[in-house]
């Protein structure tokens, strides 16, 4: 009985975090301090049925492990691609990367299976929540996170809370347009920063240069059969390839101008760059802010995220911050 | 004594509103219902000293008139060009249009002279407040006002309150950039919607066409000595001048793309166009939203303001809304 009491005292308040991406479905046990205690990963199934079944199976497994690891699970947080109504715990509309994932109530099945409260938001917003609780955004009243990975997403925190907008479509930061024409975007428009500066956009340009025999640069390892990517473009530019350099300059300018637009609209105190291309874009973005922002909006910190797992940590943070107040 | 009581009952709760523009300094007595009871206008003096003196003189005169008109003045609201710290009642930085108007405490001198509480905000924000209390924005939780006049300004209302940002520089909507290059803007950058679609931008293009002998169109009244303006450009386009039409199309596209950027960032339920060019831009903006906004952000009302005096009404609304709670 005494040992049980000690066990109870030693329990770590924790969350189950679920990350639904275009490729993988991941679950983690996350402690109150932001430590990822255990992590599970599977391919994200292509159908609604299989996906929901796998989410429940992985969550149940994680829950059992959590008990053995002395973690008290306060709830489940879900980060997903697409547009989310966090009040209802529903995915309204998914991106093309996750099929059969529109008008889906995620809260109810998880809550029924695990008897735990469930929070849901999109990956960009979760990344911002992760920064607010565990990253550079701690204690910063107004900040913006912008994630440059395969696509571009993000979240806006104003007065310490996310902006969701009137139809849960705020902070669609990848689709800020910086050109009246410009390259075609997956969204159907043109000139979006995602179409200039995302991993997919850079890969498109790398392929174009490669097809024109302009990508290969002296000193570069590039096998004939290897699929080209943003990495090759960055390497080529570093080795002095002027065409690759021009593409990356335009990408940095487009992202920078998009971020200046954010500054002129919501005037945050900090912009946190996240995702695989973050550190690459940090300096170009600072330069463009100095060149093109109003002097009164220039006084802003631009930083690269130091978080390993923003989506999982953000999903967990909803549980860890809201479980006691039961705010959905 | 009975008649005094009746007088008191018949008193109208009112505000003094001050509007500091590039050309005029205006003061008005505004009733709780948004009726402009009396209005005063002078040229806005060029120096700080003369300007402050004139503000105090006009406010005192209006205050005496208000008493005679049975208006009980609850406070003074000031709308001014430039960037404002509304908490301190200070103009931080003015536009070029108002000289000697940076780091100016407006609240203290007015408050000392009239013994009334004083609220201050910039003209774009005041226009949004006017819509919130008296216009299309009544009861709308999230909306944006964009004013297309000589320049372009605006205000963003989120959760029924203005967004001011971390350095009081939010909602600088004229300086949303929609081109990586594009026409030079007064702010020092390029491609801002103000540089495409403001009255000054259209006048610049009208002059350019006129200098190239391309403005005059069959059926148009245009005297040799007359200064050309946006009006001539609009007339020429209506009479079938293809060059004038192309300029206006680009302006409408730029404004529309700028507004789509607003939708993708803060996702308001309504956009209210205000200023002299509002009705001209209403349809082009709707078209661009349909073409270029994410489907989930398209479901938005675009309306033209019906308010005659947004700056004065917005300045008054701060008094009328905040006088009882004394929120600065
Ligand atoms: Ca987002
Ligand atoms: Ca403004
Ligand atoms: Zn797009
Ligand atoms: Zn500008």
């Amino acid at each position: 009985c005494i040992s049980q009491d000690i066990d109870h005292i030693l329990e770590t308040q924790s969350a189950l975090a679920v990350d639904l991406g275009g490729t993988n479905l991941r679950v983690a046990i996350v402690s109150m301090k932001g430590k990822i205690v255990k992590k599970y990963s599977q391919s994200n199934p292509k159908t609604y049925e299989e996906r929901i079944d796998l989410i429940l199976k992985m969550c149940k497994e994680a829950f059992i492990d959590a008990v053995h690891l002395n973690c008290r699970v306060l709830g489940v947080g879900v980060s997903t691609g697409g547009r989310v109504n966090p009040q209802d715990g529903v995915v309204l509309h998914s991106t093309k990367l996750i099929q059969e994932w529109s008008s889906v109530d995620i809260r109810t099945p998880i809550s029924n299976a695990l008897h735990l409260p469930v929070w849901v938001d999109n990956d960009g917003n979760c990344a911002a929540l992760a920064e607010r609780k565990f990253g550079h955004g701690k204690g910063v009243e107004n900040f913006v996170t912008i994630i440059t990975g395969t696509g571009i997403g993000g979240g806006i925190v104003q007065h310490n809370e996310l902006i969701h907008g009137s139809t849960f479509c705020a902070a669609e930061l990848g689709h800020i347009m910086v050109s009246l024409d410009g390259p075609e975007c997956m969204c159907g428009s043109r000139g979006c920063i995602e179409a200039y500066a995302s991993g997919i956009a850079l890969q498109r340009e790398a392929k174009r240069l490669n097809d024109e025999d302009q990508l290969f640069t002296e000193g570069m390892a590039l096998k004939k059969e290897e699929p080209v990517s943003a990495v090759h473009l960055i390497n080529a530019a570093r080795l002095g390839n002027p065409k690759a350099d021009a593409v990356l300059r335009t990408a940095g300018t487009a992202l920078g101008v998009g971020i200046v637009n954010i500054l002129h609209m919501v005037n945050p105190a900090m912009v946190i760059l996240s995702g695989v291309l973050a550190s690459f874009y940090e300096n170009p973005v600072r330069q463009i802010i100095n060149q093109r922002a109003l002097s009164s909006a220039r006084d802003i910190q631009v930083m690269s995220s130091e978080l390993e797992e923003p989506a999982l940590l953000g999903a967990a943070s909803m549980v860890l911050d809201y479980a006691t107040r039961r705010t959905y």
Side-chain angles (χ1 to χ4, degrees), chain A:
Chain A
C1 186
I2 285 169
S3 80
Q4 265 190 357
D5 275 2
I6 290 170
D7 273 4
H8 186 71
I9 291 163
L10 292 176
E11 269 184 344
T12 313
Q13 298 210 320
S14 305
L16 293 190
V18 179
D19 174 30
L20 284 149
T23 313
N24 293 319
L25 196 177
R26 302 186 309 147
V27 171
I29 305 165
V30 181
S31 79
M32 187 57 92
K33 290 189 172 165
K35 197 185 146 213
I36 294 182
V37 179
K38 189 161 182 182
K39 199 156 62 173
Y40 313 77
S41 184
Q42 298 278 341
S43 306
N44 193 344
K46 300 290 176 211
T47 66
Y48 163 79
E49 292 274 333
E50 288 176 282
R51 189 176 302 128
I52 283 284
D53 287 351
L54 186 57
I55 292 170
L56 298 182
K57 184 169 163 286
M58 289 172 78
C59 281
K60 282 178 193 161
E61 188 190 337
F63 185 78
I64 291 163
D65 288 351
V67 172
H68 292 139
L69 290 163
N70 241 344
C71 292
R72 192 156 67 85
V73 176
L74 304 174
V76 182
V78 181
S79 165
T80 174
R83 191 162 53 96
V84 171
N85 175 339
Q87 275 139 40
D88 296 347
V90 165
V91 180
L92 298 169
H93 196 86
S94 76
T95 56
K96 288 170 192 163
L97 296 172
I98 311 178
Q99 290 157 43
E100 299 190 14
W101 206 236
S102 293
S103 306
V104 171
D105 176 355
I106 320 187
R107 176 176 290 148
T108 305
I110 301 179
S111 179
N112 286 346
L114 279 91
H115 306 290
L116 285 170
V118 178
W119 288 264
V120 187
D121 212 330
N122 74 40
D123 42 12
N125 288 347
C126 284
L129 291 176
E131 297 296 339
R132 183 180 74 170
K133 189 162 184 73
F134 302 115
H136 295 309
K138 247 185 285 183
V140 181
E141 202 183 326
N142 301 315
F143 73 90
V144 171
T145 302
I146 186 154
I147 308 140
T148 47
T150 314
I152 292 184
I156 302 174
V157 171
Q158 275 271 327
H159 301 308
N160 304 307
E161 298 295 337
L162 285 173
I163 288 187
H164 282 101
S166 61
T167 58
F168 308 103
C169 192
E172 280 289 353
L173 304 183
H175 306 288
I176 297 172
M177 286 169 267
V178 294
S179 173
L180 298 183
D181 28 51
E184 279 178 37
C185 184
M186 297 232 286
C187 73
S189 185
R190 292 178 159 277
C192 298
I193 58 175
E194 182 166 296
Y196 279 106
S198 67
I200 284 183
L202 296 185
Q203 185 173 41
R204 179 198 68 215
E205 293 301 299
K207 276 183 183 153
R208 186 180 59 74
L209 287 184
N210 197 39
D211 290 349
E212 297 168 2
D213 274 329
Q214 306 258 23
L215 183 62
F216 181 78
T217 313
E218 189 76 44
M220 195 170 137
L222 178 63
K223 291 177 196 128
K224 266 283 170 212
E225 306 301 299
E226 196 181 0
V228 295
S229 73
V231 174
H232 296 106
L233 200 65
I234 292 169
N235 282 342
R238 287 201 176 128
L239 290 166
N241 180 324
K243 301 242 170 185
D245 192 60
V247 164
L248 291 173
R249 270 174 201 275
T250 303
T253 301
L255 182 65
V257 168
I259 287 174
V260 172
N261 284 345
I262 299 173
L263 307 189
H264 290 173
M265 236 172 286
V266 295
N267 184 212
M270 185 185 281
V271 171
I272 303 167
L273 302 173
S274 182
V276 286
L277 294 164
S279 60
F280 171 75
Y281 281 127
E282 200 179 310
N283 278 324
V285 164
R286 280 211 191 92
Q287 272 177 29
I288 297 292
I289 289 173
N290 283 327
Q291 287 165 20
R292 304 191 62 158
L294 296 174
S295 57
S296 38
R298 251 177 242 170
D299 186 17
I300 186 174
Q301 284 189 281
V302 177
M303 317 186 82
S304 288
S305 174
E306 285 168 3
L307 301 177
E308 297 271 317
E309 292 281 10
L312 286 172
L313 289 176
S317 88
M318 295 189 282
V319 177
L320 301 169
D321 282 348
Y322 305 145
T324 46
R325 38 174 167 139
R326 287 286 172 111
T327 309
Y328 289 99

PDB file of all heavy atoms in Angstrom, chain A residues 174-175 185-187 189 192, ligand 3:
ATOM      1  N   GLY A 174       1.119  28.894 -46.275  1.00  0.00           N
ATOM      2  CA  GLY A 174       1.707  28.461 -47.546  1.00  0.00           C
ATOM      3  C   GLY A 174       1.058  29.127 -48.743  1.00  0.00           C
ATOM      4  O   GLY A 174       1.674  29.233 -49.809  1.00  0.00           O
ATOM      5  N   HIS A 175      -0.172  29.615 -48.564  1.00  0.00           N
ATOM      6  CA  HIS A 175      -0.900  30.171 -49.700  1.00  0.00           C
ATOM      7  C   HIS A 175      -1.010  31.690 -49.636  1.00  0.00           C
ATOM      8  O   HIS A 175      -1.931  32.286 -50.179  1.00  0.00           O
ATOM      9  CB  HIS A 175      -2.239  29.454 -49.853  1.00  0.00           C
ATOM     10  CG  HIS A 175      -2.030  27.975 -49.949  1.00  0.00           C
ATOM     11  ND1 HIS A 175      -1.480  27.389 -51.070  1.00  0.00           N
ATOM     12  CD2 HIS A 175      -2.173  26.984 -49.037  1.00  0.00           C
ATOM     13  CE1 HIS A 175      -1.330  26.084 -50.844  1.00  0.00           C
ATOM     14  NE2 HIS A 175      -1.737  25.821 -49.619  1.00  0.00           N
ATOM     15  N   CYS A 185       0.421  26.684 -58.061  1.00  0.00           N
ATOM     16  CA  CYS A 185       0.442  26.053 -56.741  1.00  0.00           C
ATOM     17  C   CYS A 185      -0.539  24.889 -56.728  1.00  0.00           C
ATOM     18  O   CYS A 185      -1.503  24.867 -57.489  1.00  0.00           O
ATOM     19  CB  CYS A 185       0.066  27.092 -55.692  1.00  0.00           C
ATOM     20  SG  CYS A 185       0.169  26.484 -53.995  1.00  0.00           S
ATOM     21  N   MET A 186      -0.305  23.930 -55.844  1.00  0.00           N
ATOM     22  CA  MET A 186      -1.218  22.787 -55.697  1.00  0.00           C
ATOM     23  C   MET A 186      -2.634  23.228 -55.339  1.00  0.00           C
ATOM     24  O   MET A 186      -3.594  22.493 -55.582  1.00  0.00           O
ATOM     25  CB  MET A 186      -0.708  21.869 -54.580  1.00  0.00           C
ATOM     26  CG  MET A 186       0.637  21.262 -54.855  1.00  0.00           C
ATOM     27  SD  MET A 186       0.626  19.470 -54.668  1.00  0.00           S
ATOM     28  CE  MET A 186       0.555  19.362 -52.877  1.00  0.00           C
ATOM     29  N   CYS A 187      -2.783  24.420 -54.759  1.00  0.00           N
ATOM     30  CA  CYS A 187      -4.101  24.894 -54.321  1.00  0.00           C
ATOM     31  C   CYS A 187      -4.944  25.382 -55.493  1.00  0.00           C
ATOM     32  O   CYS A 187      -6.120  25.680 -55.323  1.00  0.00           O
ATOM     33  CB  CYS A 187      -3.958  26.012 -53.292  1.00  0.00           C
ATOM     34  SG  CYS A 187      -3.410  27.601 -53.978  1.00  0.00           S
ATOM     35  N   SER A 189      -4.131  28.160 -57.252  1.00  0.00           N
ATOM     36  CA  SER A 189      -3.760  29.544 -57.531  1.00  0.00           C
ATOM     37  C   SER A 189      -2.319  29.593 -58.058  1.00  0.00           C
ATOM     38  O   SER A 189      -1.738  28.565 -58.427  1.00  0.00           O
ATOM     39  CB  SER A 189      -3.925  30.388 -56.274  1.00  0.00           C
ATOM     40  OG  SER A 189      -3.674  31.747 -56.564  1.00  0.00           O
ATOM     41  N   CYS A 192       1.881  31.486 -54.852  1.00  0.00           N
ATOM     42  CA  CYS A 192       1.894  31.219 -53.405  1.00  0.00           C
ATOM     43  C   CYS A 192       3.335  30.936 -52.962  1.00  0.00           C
ATOM     44  O   CYS A 192       4.132  30.392 -53.740  1.00  0.00           O
ATOM     45  CB  CYS A 192       1.049  29.995 -53.073  1.00  0.00           C
ATOM     46  SG  CYS A 192      -0.688  30.169 -53.493  1.00  0.00           S
TER      47      CYS A 192
HETATM   48 ZN1  LIG C   3      -1.315  27.950 -53.012  1.00  0.00          ZN
END
